[in-house]
Amino acid sequence: QVQLQESGPGLVKPSQTLSLTCTVSGGSITSGGYYWSWIRQHPGKGLEWIGYIYYSGSTYYNPSLKSRLSISLDTSKNQFSLKLNSMTAADTAVYYCARVSIGAAGLDYWGQGTLVTVSS
Amino acid sequence: QSALTQPASVSGSPGQSITISCTGTSSDVGRYNYVSWYQQHPGKAPKLLIYEVTNRPSGVSSRFSGSKSGNTASLTISGLQAEDEGDYYCNSYTSSSTLGYVFGTGTKVTVL
């Protein structure tokens, strides 16, 4: 059974960089056929794609976040990470990591989500 | 890339059937059979209900079914139960964005 778990700070100051890590167990992030993705949900709002990465290192970013965003892999730890810089209050959200099954285009496994609040 | 359009809310009585629509364009829902649906309960992560328009993952109740016609995909919940109350989101592959995927606006389902 594949499991994903987000980790990182729950509070970030304005203008700082958010760093989140997703640890994958029960499966390898170097397996083809999957994208490893980040999705967020602002309080009381809908789901928003942040971006995703393939095991080859190819990345796909939400154009609205692209200038501030970096997603990377750490294959030695079976983890992938998100860095979002120049954080503002508008980035306050629950951040989820999830696996995309490419063939089915479905997000089949999700982390529990982590609330990130941007405040001084 | 704008979000796919879903009704803000849908309600029904226990035992009834309800349908949630997800309207896109010829660049996403209308072009690809890569529509998926998710259920989200308060404070929980979304759960995959339907992928590739009509397919259910193992363990998902057969009361959930998906379909598509033109630029609109639909999720039908049959035999509505109290536990079905929550938020539902569609997602589609899209050629309109370098990102490749787009979520729907979300629908709150209320069991009366």
Side-chain angles (χ1 to χ4, degrees):
Chain A
Q1 178 78 349
V2 175
Q3 293 184 315
L4 292 85
Q5 176 70 57
E6 306 90 351
S7 59
L11 181 64
V12 175
K13 288 182 167 51
S15 80
Q16 288 189 339
T17 296
L18 171 65
S19 294
L20 292 176
T21 296
C22 183
T23 300
V24 180
S25 58
S28 173
I29 62 171
T30 59
S31 299
Y34 304 105
Y35 293 131
W36 302 96
S37 69
W38 290 98
I39 288 134
R40 70 180 181 180
Q41 187 169 34
H42 294 101
K45 301 298 183 182
L47 301 172
E48 177 186 27
W49 280 97
I50 297 173
Y52 51 93
I53 187 167
Y54 192 48
Y55 81 95
S56 63
S58 297
T59 51
Y60 305 81
Y61 295 155
N62 185 325
S64 69
L65 299 172
K66 186 175 183 177
S67 63
R68 303 193 287 130
L69 179 63
S70 175
I71 297 176
S72 59
L73 293 170
D74 186 338
T75 56
S76 67
K77 295 180 180 178
N78 216 36
Q79 297 174 335
F80 61 104
S81 297
L82 168 153
K83 289 188 187 301
L84 187 64
N85 60 35
S86 303
M87 294 282 283
T88 72
D91 294 310
T92 293
V94 174
Y95 287 73
Y96 294 100
C97 59
R99 189 182 83 168
V100 181
S101 177
I102 298 173
L107 296 105
D108 54 1
Y109 290 98
W110 294 69
Q112 64 186 24
T114 186
L115 174 62
V116 176
T117 301
V118 182
S119 175
S120 55
Chain B
Q1 170 69 50
S2 298
L4 307 175
T5 301
Q6 298 180 231
S9 63
V10 173
S11 62
S13 299
Q16 287 186 328
S17 294
I18 62 170
T19 297
I20 303 167
S21 60
C22 170
T23 301
T25 69
S26 58
S27 296
D28 39 64
V29 175
R31 174 173 287 188
Y32 305 102
N33 287 327
Y34 291 136
V35 176
S36 52
W37 288 92
Y38 304 85
Q39 176 192 59
Q40 186 180 34
H41 289 130
K44 300 295 187 181
K47 172 189 173 183
L48 178 64
L49 293 177
I50 298 286
Y51 65 94
E52 288 182 311
V53 179
T54 62
N55 296 320
R56 277 189 312 277
S58 174
V60 172
S61 172
S62 59
R63 298 186 300 104
F64 295 95
S65 61
S67 62
K68 190 183 85 166
S69 177
N71 295 339
T72 298
S74 299
L75 173 73
T76 297
I77 308 175
S78 305
L80 198 63
Q81 299 179 0
E83 68 204 49
D84 300 330
E85 191 161 286
D87 296 321
Y88 291 77
Y89 295 91
C90 60
N91 182 71
S92 176
Y93 187 79
T94 177
S95 59
S96 294
S97 167
T98 54
L99 180 63
Y101 294 99
V102 60
F103 280 114
T105 50
T107 299
K108 180 173 181 56
V109 168
T110 300
V111 180
L112 301 172

